[in-house]
């Protein structure tokens, strides 16, 4: 399948499954997405709206963000999503938000953390704590990161939900802080929550595959220091998010969210090289550890991702070859010291 326009891409990312429709039909109440203006928010909100339509149910779906990216608010409203412009670090703005039975918490800060650590901690710890207090009577599905885990031996298949956290660097530490503050408010108020530890959602405009593919295409070196990674198609991650309300409990349910494969970066560069007819330039050597997330439990609960790694590679390669738009935000997946 060749995706050649952003509209086609948005349609694909937001295409609901029957399981999504069933989940939205079973969900009691309306839906509020905090941080809807980020990389995943628009397609997730739209998937929720389309899943409701597929199920024949009516729900109020609203998204909150500062809407600093031009066109995002207009896109959401054109697709039936109510929008609310607000800075969630402002207590008055948070208090003014409508009460909703179901909340998806997506806000966070990663890139630019080094040199502005105080802002990262405010957005990743203070903000979710304030939101958890404000929406203490709701069900909350919150995005976290696999960065809360230590680097894992490649041959062990990645960290499971029972692996003790071991964040390296201030951003990963603040990601764990987010989880702990959510756990506190869940315990204090009995708020049912699910926390999703996500590793590398793939959108043709962003992600590990794009990072590697662009470097091969532009004949730039591919760093092998972090020699392995996990990825999942963003549409599949969106689907798991919507279906995770069924898991909400207090204390929070923790769920790893990524694809089933441990992908070799060397192999990945080679696959893009084959597509482009270019010999990849490889730099460094693989470590025997990497940031790896074992999502076997997620797959047992919700099934394997609908989009395979090979399909993602094909789509990303076509997108690069066509000169498709990107978010111009490298993942820095090769970073091993947690400094972003």
């Amino acid at each position: 399948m060749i995706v050649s326009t952003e509209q086609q891409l948005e349609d694909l990312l937001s295409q609901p499954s029957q399981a999504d429709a069933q989940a939205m039909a079973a969900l009691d109440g309306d839906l509020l997405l905090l941080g809807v203006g980020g990389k995943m928010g628009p397609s997730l909100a739209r998937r929720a709206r389309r899943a409701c339509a597929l199920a024949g149910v009516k729900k109020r779906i609203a998204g909150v963000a500062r809407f600093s990216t031009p066109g995002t608010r207009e896109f959401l409203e054109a697709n039936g999503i109510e929008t609310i412009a607000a800075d969630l670090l402002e207590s008055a703005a948070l208090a003014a938000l409508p009460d909703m039975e179901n909340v998806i918490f997506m806000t966070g800060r990663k890139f630019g953390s080094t040199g502005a650590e105080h802002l990262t901690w405010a957005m990743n710890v203070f903000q979710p704590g304030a939101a958890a207090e404000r929406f203490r009577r709701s069900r909350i599905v919150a995005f976290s990161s696999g960065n809360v885990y230590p680097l894992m031996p490649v041959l062990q298949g990645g960290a499971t939900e029972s692996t003790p956290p071991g964040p390296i660097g201030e951003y990963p530490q603040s990601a764990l802080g987010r989880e702990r503050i959510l756990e506190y408010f869940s315990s204090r108020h009995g708020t049912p929550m699910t926390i999703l530890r996500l590793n590398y959602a793939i959108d043709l405009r962003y992600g590990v595959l794009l990072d590697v593919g662009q470097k091969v295409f532009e004949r730039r070196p591919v760093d092998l220091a972090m020699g392995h990674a996990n990825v999942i198609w963003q549409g599949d991650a969106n689907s798991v998010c919507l279906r995770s309300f069924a898991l909400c409990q207090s204390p929070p349910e923790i769920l790893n969210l990524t694809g089933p494969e441990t992908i070799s970066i060397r192999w990945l560069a080679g696959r893009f090289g084959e597509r482009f007819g270019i010999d990849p330039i490889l730099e460094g050597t693989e470590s025997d550890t990497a940031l790896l997330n074992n999502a076997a439990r997620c797959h047992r609960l919700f099934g394997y991702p609908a989009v395979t790694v090979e399909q993602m590679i094909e789509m990303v390669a076509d997108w690069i070859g066509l000169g498709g738009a990107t978010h111009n935000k490298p993942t820095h997946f090769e970073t091993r010291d947690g400094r972003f």
Side-chain angles (χ1 to χ4, degrees), residues 39-40 44 106 110 142-149 171 175 178-179 195-202 206 230-238 240-241 254-259 291-293 295 298:
K39 292 183 293 295
M40 292 183 67
L44 176 55
M106 308 185 73
K110 179 177 181 180
F143 278 95
S144 183
S145 168
N147 283 87
V148 301
Y149 293 122
Y171 160 69
R178 172 173 50 210
E179 293 191 13
I195 295 175
L196 301 174
R197 289 175 174 168
L198 174 65
N199 266 84
Y200 299 126
I202 297 298
Y206 172 86
N230 306 125
V231 300
I232 186 169
W233 179 243
Q234 184 174 300
D236 286 317
N238 288 344
V240 169
C241 176
I254 304 294
L255 190 67
N256 287 351
L257 175 54
T258 195
L291 181 66
L292 295 172
N293 186 332
C298 179

Side-chain angles (χ1 to χ4, degrees), residues 221-272:
V222 176
D223 188 347
L224 297 178
M226 188 78 82
H228 297 81
N230 306 125
V231 300
I232 186 169
W233 179 243
Q234 184 174 300
D236 286 317
N238 288 344
S239 176
V240 169
C241 176
L242 294 179
R243 289 186 280 163
S244 290
F245 280 104
L247 303 179
C248 287
Q249 64 176 36
S250 179
E253 182 73 41
I254 304 294
L255 190 67
N256 287 351
L257 175 54
T258 195
E261 299 90 356
T262 297
I263 299 174
S264 160
I265 301 303
R266 182 186 295 272
W267 171 83
L268 183 60
R271 289 290 291 114
F272 279 114

